[in-house]
Amino acid sequence: MNKIISNITLDLFQSKAILIYGILLAVLGWGLFVLESQPEKVILAILQINLVVLPLITSVFATIYFYKSSEFIQLLLIQPIKRSRIIWGFFSGLNLGFIACYLLGIGLPLLIFYPTLASGLLIVSGLFLSVIFTGLALLVSTHQQDKSRSMGIVLLIWAFFSFIFDGIQLWVIYQFAEYPIEEGILASTFLNPVSISRIIVVMQTEASALLGLSGAVFKDFFGSMVGAIISIATLVVWTVLPYIFIRKRFLSRDF
Amino acid sequence: MISVSKLSKQYGNQVVLKDVDLEFAKGQSVALIGPNGSGKTTLIKSILGLVVPDEGKIEVQGANIRTSPNYRRDIGYMPQLSRFPEQMQVRQLFSLIDDLRKGEDGIEKDLSLYEDFQIDRIARKALGALSGGMKQQVSAALAFYYNPEIIILDEPTAGLDPVSNEILKAKINRQISLGRLVVVTSHILSDLDEICNHVVYLMEGKIYMNASIDQIASETGEQKLNKMIVKLIENKNSDE
């Protein structure tokens, strides 16, 4: 088991793309603290990286890596190893690589320069987003034979959660402003891991203007602590659910 | 050693295997032949667990292959196209397999093909940089590496040079004399002639013929496998 995970992670760090990803995160994470004297602003800047850059890079990279590893996976499949162990090793190995990059590039400077609850939640939500979007990318890749089609679907998923979802929510809020739709908006927020991650972090900062309507309703409804716990529980569901479907598909797939 | 019953597989609308029943025994060397698209590779991949059949059961050494992956310890497989991780070096490939199979006891590794093909010379090369034939050599050495009881070779001779081809055939013959089971697919019937004692002919996903070479020889009165097959097919066609 550990052999597969360590092999994937080591192989990952041989590719230039993940090194560039790590360096990019490190430059942003460490650089922002050096350049900006107000840590509150740094938190918000890193939040933007978490919400937009992180999902994009992890999901695109995971898709490329899955197809690139098809030979490796086939080599494993003819060994006396269970398929469930292979996909678990692949999933964890890949995530471990991303998580290491994130912790070194973003997590460490946050903990050193601004060790607060907001920083902690920022790191946690970033890690969740990294795993969730890796999972979504693998979910698509295991169901598709064609790499470019997978890539298209993955980018669409990213765009949907990053801005299309917000747009739709905003449109609904405008159209139905006369009606009591707060609870509906609140419930729909749980359908988007990116929105949840934003709300968890912003609730802890002074910048509540960034919460938007859904966030304001959220804060009003749950209060910050209960809200954070429920949000994290939702992120856990978002992490586990794709993996269950990836595993199911991988066990019955033809190679 | 391998028993296949009522095996069926469909890709979309295309039926690849239909109700295939087969028994392979110890000491047999089976030539699995048939026209392109007859289901040979799908049959092999089903035995290896790479393809999940729609229906039917496969047992290897008495154990249903769906219950545990351990039956693959006894199978060495050389695929039709050897595809390896491109950046991995040859020696890393072998140590990876060692790593993965560590903890299996009582295994004596078989390095004879590794030595005969002089794979040491290319041990530090990346697998992506090897020529097609060299990849086939690595693939063949890997198939025999863990001294398996069952050896499955899918078009093994296609990319090999004549010398390597002979080395591989000699190796296969040694395994047969040790009482191993060998299953080979190939279109080059003259190669199969020297290594096989049994023929399974697949056509459109069904077994068209399953007999020992001696049996076919006495039926057709021919000595060479390719002549036997041609004659048999002609005979069957004229019967119909």
Side-chain angles (χ1 to χ4, degrees):
Chain A
M1 162 77 81
N2 295 333
K3 293 291 171 216
I4 302 175
I5 299 179
S6 57
N7 251 293
I8 293 280
T9 310
L10 287 177
D11 180 60
L12 208 55
F13 282 105
Q14 283 180 356
S15 90
K16 285 189 196 91
I18 195 150
L19 292 179
I20 292 171
Y21 172 62
I23 292 168
L24 175 80
L25 288 184
V27 167
L28 290 170
W30 295 88
L32 281 169
F33 274 106
V34 175
L35 294 173
E36 179 61 60
S37 52
Q38 287 173 279
E40 278 273 316
K41 281 192 182 168
V42 178
I43 293 275
L44 293 176
I46 292 180
L47 180 64
Q48 289 311 312
I49 300 170
N50 264 5
L51 299 181
V52 182
V53 180
L54 200 71
L56 177 65
I57 297 184
T58 49
S59 54
V60 167
F61 194 91
T63 308
I64 296 173
Y65 193 72
F66 179 79
Y67 288 97
K68 204 182 130 237
S69 305
S70 64
E71 289 93 1
F72 182 69
I73 291 174
Q74 293 210 4
L75 193 66
L76 294 178
L77 283 167
I78 56 172
Q79 303 305 320
I81 306 171
K82 272 192 186 159
R83 280 194 181 192
S84 52
R85 276 182 55 184
I86 298 173
I87 191 62
W88 171 247
F90 189 83
F91 182 79
S92 345
L94 190 55
N95 272 310
L96 227 63
F98 290 147
I99 287 173
C101 284
Y102 184 78
L103 286 179
L104 290 176
I106 303 276
L108 207 57
L110 273 173
L111 288 177
I112 292 172
F113 295 116
Y114 193 58
T116 56
L117 181 63
S119 290
L121 286 172
L122 187 59
I123 296 171
V124 170
S125 66
L127 291 178
F128 269 116
L129 282 179
S130 170
V131 179
I132 289 169
F133 276 86
T134 307
L136 290 173
L138 292 182
L139 182 63
V140 174
S141 317
T142 44
H143 282 78
Q144 281 289 339
Q145 298 288 353
D146 185 45
K147 181 179 169 180
S148 39
R149 191 183 287 183
S150 286
M151 193 58 86
I153 299 172
V154 163
L155 287 174
L156 210 64
I157 291 176
W158 169 76
F160 178 77
F161 285 135
S162 297
F163 23 85
I164 298 173
F165 188 91
D166 281 353
I168 295 172
Q169 229 179 19
L170 207 63
W171 181 81
V172 170
I173 290 168
Y174 265 107
Q175 292 299 312
F176 300 95
E178 320 274 291
Y179 303 91
I181 48 164
E182 280 84 0
E183 286 176 24
I185 294 294
L186 184 68
S188 71
T189 302
F190 286 107
L191 298 176
N192 185 351
V194 176
S195 301
I196 303 169
S197 306
R198 179 173 54 233
I199 291 169
I200 304 177
V201 177
V202 175
M203 271 199 306
Q204 304 299 328
T205 65
E206 306 290 307
S208 3
L210 285 176
L211 276 175
L213 180 66
S214 57
V217 174
F218 195 94
K219 190 167 183 176
D220 196 44
F221 200 81
F222 291 119
S224 7
M225 214 47 225
V226 181
I229 292 168
I230 292 180
S231 311
I232 288 178
T234 312
L235 290 179
V236 171
V237 174
W238 266 105
T239 309
V240 176
L241 219 54
Y243 179 70
I244 291 174
F245 288 109
I246 293 167
R247 186 178 184 275
K248 188 165 173 269
R249 172 65 185 159
F250 191 80
L251 294 189
S252 61
R253 192 181 147 122
D254 293 328
F255 287 90
Chain B
M1 277 191 127
I2 299 180
S3 128
V4 175
S5 54
K6 296 254 170 281
L7 191 73
S8 295
K9 177 72 188 175
Q10 227 171 317
Y11 290 116
N13 293 328
Q14 198 192 352
V15 179
V16 187
L17 292 175
K18 191 157 172 51
D19 278 336
V20 172
D21 289 296
L22 273 176
E23 292 281 340
F24 294 144
K26 224 168 143 64
Q28 258 184 353
S29 171
V30 183
L32 186 59
I33 52 180
N36 292 330
S38 57
K40 303 184 293 290
T41 299
T42 305
L43 176 62
I44 285 177
K45 284 188 165 182
S46 304
I47 293 171
L48 283 157
L50 288 171
V51 164
V52 182
D54 300 329
E55 273 166 63
K57 193 169 77 171
I58 301 172
E59 287 181 338
V60 173
Q61 298 188 317
N64 189 329
I65 62 164
R66 297 197 67 112
T67 53
S68 155
N70 288 344
Y71 76 97
R72 283 197 288 266
R73 286 180 184 174
D74 297 324
I75 300 184
Y77 172 52
M78 179 176 170
Q80 194 167 23
L81 274 176
S82 307
R83 294 167 71 225
F84 295 112
E86 302 241 312
Q87 287 159 349
M88 193 181 271
Q89 289 177 10
V90 176
R91 65 194 172 113
Q92 287 171 328
L93 177 67
F94 282 88
S95 64
L96 170 73
I97 303 296
D98 283 339
D99 252 6
L100 292 170
R101 301 192 58 169
K102 211 185 280 171
E104 288 174 31
D105 17 73
I107 300 256
E108 247 178 81
K109 278 186 237 170
D110 179 352
L111 286 170
S112 68
L113 273 189
Y114 187 94
E115 283 154 9
D116 291 345
F117 286 147
Q118 297 177 296
I119 288 175
D120 251 341
R121 285 180 307 145
I122 52 168
R124 281 171 191 280
K125 281 197 181 166
L127 284 152
L130 298 183
S131 74
M134 282 159 122
K135 276 188 200 165
Q136 288 289 89
Q137 289 182 334
V138 172
S139 182
L142 208 59
F144 288 94
Y145 187 45
Y146 265 79
N147 221 343
E149 289 292 322
I150 300 167
I151 295 135
I152 300 178
L153 309 154
D154 198 353
E155 297 279 350
T157 53
L160 291 175
D161 63 69
V163 177
S164 307
N165 200 347
E166 288 309 312
I167 293 175
L168 182 60
K169 278 194 274 185
K171 178 71 188 165
I172 293 171
N173 274 327
R174 286 205 297 280
Q175 299 299 304
I176 297 163
S177 62
L178 287 173
R180 306 273 161 86
L181 166 62
V182 180
V183 179
V184 194
T185 78
S186 182
H187 291 297
I188 308 168
L189 296 179
S190 57
D191 278 342
L192 293 173
D193 231 355
E194 300 163 38
I195 47 177
C196 293
N197 53 32
H198 200 92
V199 175
V200 170
Y201 193 95
L202 270 180
M203 207 152 103
E204 287 165 2
K206 288 185 205 145
I207 292 173
Y208 188 75
M209 178 177 60
N210 180 1
S212 75
I213 288 209
D214 295 339
Q215 213 177 324
I216 305 171
S218 64
E219 257 177 54
T220 54
E222 294 285 349
Q223 290 304 312
K224 288 278 175 200
L225 185 59
N226 45 3
K227 294 233 170 92
M228 292 181 207
I229 300 299
V230 170
K231 201 157 188 180
L232 268 176
I233 291 169
E234 278 171 356
N235 286 350
K236 286 228 178 182
N237 284 346
S238 59
D239 287 350
E240 278 163 13

